[in-house]
Amino acid sequence: MTEILEIWGGHPLCGTVKIPSAKNSVLPLLAASVLCQEKVCLEKVPDLSDVQVSLALLRELGVSARQSGDRVLITPGRQLKSSLSTEMMHKMRASVLFLAPVLSRMGSVDASLPGGCKLGARPIDIHLDGLEKMGASIHWHEERLYLRAPHGLQGAEYTLRCPSVGATETLLLAAVCARGTTILHGAAREPEITDLAKFLGVCGGRITGAGTETIRVEGVPSLFGATYTPIADRIVAATVACACAAAGGCVTMQDVRAELFAPVLDVLEKAGCNIRREEERVTIERRDLLHGVGLVETGTYPEFPTDAAPLLAAALLQANGESCIQDTIFPKRFACAEGFGAMGARVRLQDAALYINSGAITHGAMTCAQDLRGGAALAIAALAATGKTEIRDAFYIKRGYADLKSLFRQLGGKMRMFKK
Ligand code: EPZ
């Protein structure tokens, strides 16, 4: 049995959609709630399978955690556990973010390696190296990881060998209640890092410099709770924008600021879309043919985001002229290229670069999702293709989109999801 997303393409998209809170902000905030001594309420949280996994991990630790509509309510337990199941850890990459807060709070944690989309090797060496520098001891036994810090974590000055988003989040979560001061050099600058630091600050943490490559943390004994609305999901916004660019039409995205996904909007404008940027709203319109944009390279924020690379590729299948998208972060970002080819697009994958010289009339096809953003990219390509497309293993898409079919149905897209 698998989940299938069926799309009937060839119709322009028109209308308005609200952009939900960012998955990649909500997940670290849920891990951070382990450190909170009081209730936490997160608002505008989409119903994602990765959110459900995080709530299950919190419940494994003895924390009361549930989602009611678009609110997540967390009530910390008095006596926390410190073991995270292999089954849950394997379900997503963000499960790694639970290591630091549990270790900080309990003095020990045992878990397995995280799961996550297969985008290439995704080690956690920077996470672990940083925790060691803060006083943790690390042991492996039968593919389980045992971290100990019986005397608590100690602030340290640490340079990340690469600006890893997850490792920066791990070290922020380790430092916020550590003894003394931590200074992180070479930190990631993504908006989700800034959002985590802002949430920790609202809960009583003392963090400066988030959003820059040097972050300073003064450890505090414990954190309060908070009611908090995470930032908008810039990758969901990029998904909607690329879908409108692909299928044509005019779409307004509410509750999102243009600067959150500026590199994506800039490339779509270069390809021939009209973009209107307002305070908390962006409107994109595509009436004429798209044209190729040459080379686009992904990078760490504020460069073009790796997660939007397959989404942009799907839009550029409709463009006249050449484009090349080079992902500098993950070697296996374009597993969706196989599906693009099945739809008749002229694409060539060479290492982590996807060459697009399409402008062909793409048609519906039988395809298969292999990761979250690749699955969403196939849906975008299908919206522009004539006829019916089926995307098997569509469960990947539910990791990052609460209900992609409803999102696009609101805009006139013809989609249904079913099991077979
Ligand atoms: C986060 O993953 C996001 N996930 C990813 O989004 C996103 O693609 C990625 O950041 C880059 O922006 C979440 O926030 C839950 P990294 P993360 O650590 O933290 C290497 C999506 O679709 N690295 O910044 O795992 C790593 O191999 C997902 O929502 C090490 O070598 O990304 C990769 O090449 C996909 N050692 C590079 O750094 C480490 O210890 C960037 O990875 C950690 C990372």
Side-chain angles (χ1 to χ4, degrees):
M1 180 75 83
T2 182
E3 296 199 53
I4 293 179
L5 184 60
E6 181 184 87
I7 299 137
W8 291 87
H11 311 279
L13 300 178
C14 293
T16 299
V17 290
K18 285 183 181 293
I19 302 300
S21 291
K23 164 180 89 79
N24 290 348
S25 183
V26 167
L27 298 180
L29 297 188
L30 290 171
S33 69
V34 169
L35 293 166
C36 294
Q37 305 279 346
E38 296 163 6
K39 287 187 178 180
V40 170
C41 174
L42 300 182
E43 300 185 319
K44 291 178 64 183
V45 177
D47 178 16
L48 306 175
S49 51
D50 278 9
V51 169
Q52 296 312 312
V53 171
S54 294
L55 299 182
L57 283 165
L58 284 168
R59 289 191 289 267
E60 280 188 354
L61 295 169
V63 176
S64 160
R66 63 186 175 83
Q67 182 158 12
S68 169
D70 69 353
R71 287 161 65 94
V72 166
L73 306 165
I74 297 156
T75 307
R78 285 283 155 254
Q79 190 50 41
L80 287 188
K81 302 184 183 79
S82 60
S83 183
L84 294 158
S85 70
T86 298
E87 181 200 358
M88 280 299 147
M89 286 293 293
H90 279 177
K91 285 184 183 285
M92 65 176 186
R93 172 75 177 182
S95 55
V96 70
L97 300 176
F98 280 80
L99 295 179
V102 176
L103 176 63
S104 171
R105 176 107 186 242
M106 303 301 293
S108 71
V109 62
D110 65 275
S112 69
L113 282 173
C117 287
K118 291 174 177 48
L119 303 171
R122 299 181 77 180
I124 62 168
D125 58 306
I126 305 172
H127 299 247
L128 299 180
D129 185 47
L131 289 174
E132 247 181 339
K133 295 293 185 301
M134 295 179 71
S137 66
I138 300 171
H139 304 284
W140 295 89
H141 179 63
E142 293 179 355
E143 297 191 347
R144 292 269 303 172
L145 182 59
Y146 295 81
L147 300 176
R148 295 283 177 274
H151 308 297
L153 292 170
Q154 175 66 41
E157 186 155 9
Y158 182 75
T159 299
L160 285 84
R161 70 173 173 77
C162 81
S164 155
V165 172
T168 302
E169 290 164 344
T170 279
L171 298 176
L172 271 180
L173 292 168
V176 68
C177 292
R179 282 192 315 281
T181 301
T182 296
I183 301 177
L184 300 179
H185 299 288
R189 297 182 285 168
E190 273 68 6
E192 292 77 23
I193 304 281
T194 306
D195 208 31
L196 174 59
K198 188 176 166 193
F199 171 75
L200 293 172
V202 169
C203 294
R206 296 173 57 197
I207 300 167
T208 54
T212 75
E213 57 185 33
T214 303
I215 303 177
R216 184 185 182 91
V217 185
E218 304 295 344
V220 295
S222 63
L223 295 180
F224 315 120
T227 293
Y228 191 81
T229 301
I231 54 169
D233 195 317
R234 58 195 172 104
I235 306 302
V236 168
T239 305
V240 174
C242 289
C244 179
C250 181
V251 173
T252 294
M253 292 156 276
Q254 284 185 334
D255 303 340
V256 64
R257 300 192 326 274
E259 61 264 27
L260 267 183
F261 61 132
V264 178
L265 295 174
D266 294 347
V267 173
L268 292 176
E269 214 159 29
K270 186 177 173 186
C273 296
N274 296 316
I275 310 274
R276 189 166 68 247
R277 299 166 174 83
E278 299 171 84
E279 184 63 25
E280 291 276 331
R281 185 167 47 194
V282 178
T283 298
I284 179 169
E285 184 174 14
R286 201 267 282 177
R287 297 290 178 209
D288 306 320
L289 263 183
L290 289 178
H291 37 80
V293 294
L295 175 62
V296 175
E297 276 197 346
T298 70
T300 56
Y301 194 84
E303 301 304 320
F304 190 96
T306 171
D307 292 345
L311 311 173
L312 175 65
L316 294 174
L317 302 183
Q318 305 306 318
N320 269 331
E322 294 191 356
S323 304
C324 172
I325 306 175
Q326 168 80 48
D327 193 352
T328 65
I329 308 284
F330 292 115
K332 294 191 170 55
R333 172 54 82 183
F334 293 111
C336 52
E338 185 184 341
F340 293 159
M343 293 182 197
R346 285 196 296 272
V347 295
R348 178 170 59 86
L349 184 57
Q350 186 176 325
D351 300 328
L354 186 67
Y355 294 84
I356 303 163
N357 184 3
S358 195
I361 301 296
T362 49
H363 52 76
M366 303 297 280
T367 66
C368 188
Q370 298 180 54
D371 56 68
L372 163 55
R373 305 303 176 186
L378 291 173
I380 291 172
L383 284 167
T386 50
K388 182 177 87 169
T389 294
E390 278 197 3
I391 303 174
R392 288 190 315 285
D393 291 351
F395 60 85
Y396 280 109
I397 300 173
K398 292 169 79 170
R399 295 190 48 199
Y401 302 86
D403 186 349
L404 194 71
K405 72 176 181 325
S406 302
L407 184 73
F408 285 123
R409 270 187 183 155
Q410 288 176 55
L411 300 170
K414 311 241 179 294
M415 280 191 184
R416 74 183 178 111
M417 180 86 97
F418 59 95
K419 290 193 177 182
K420 189 158 82 172

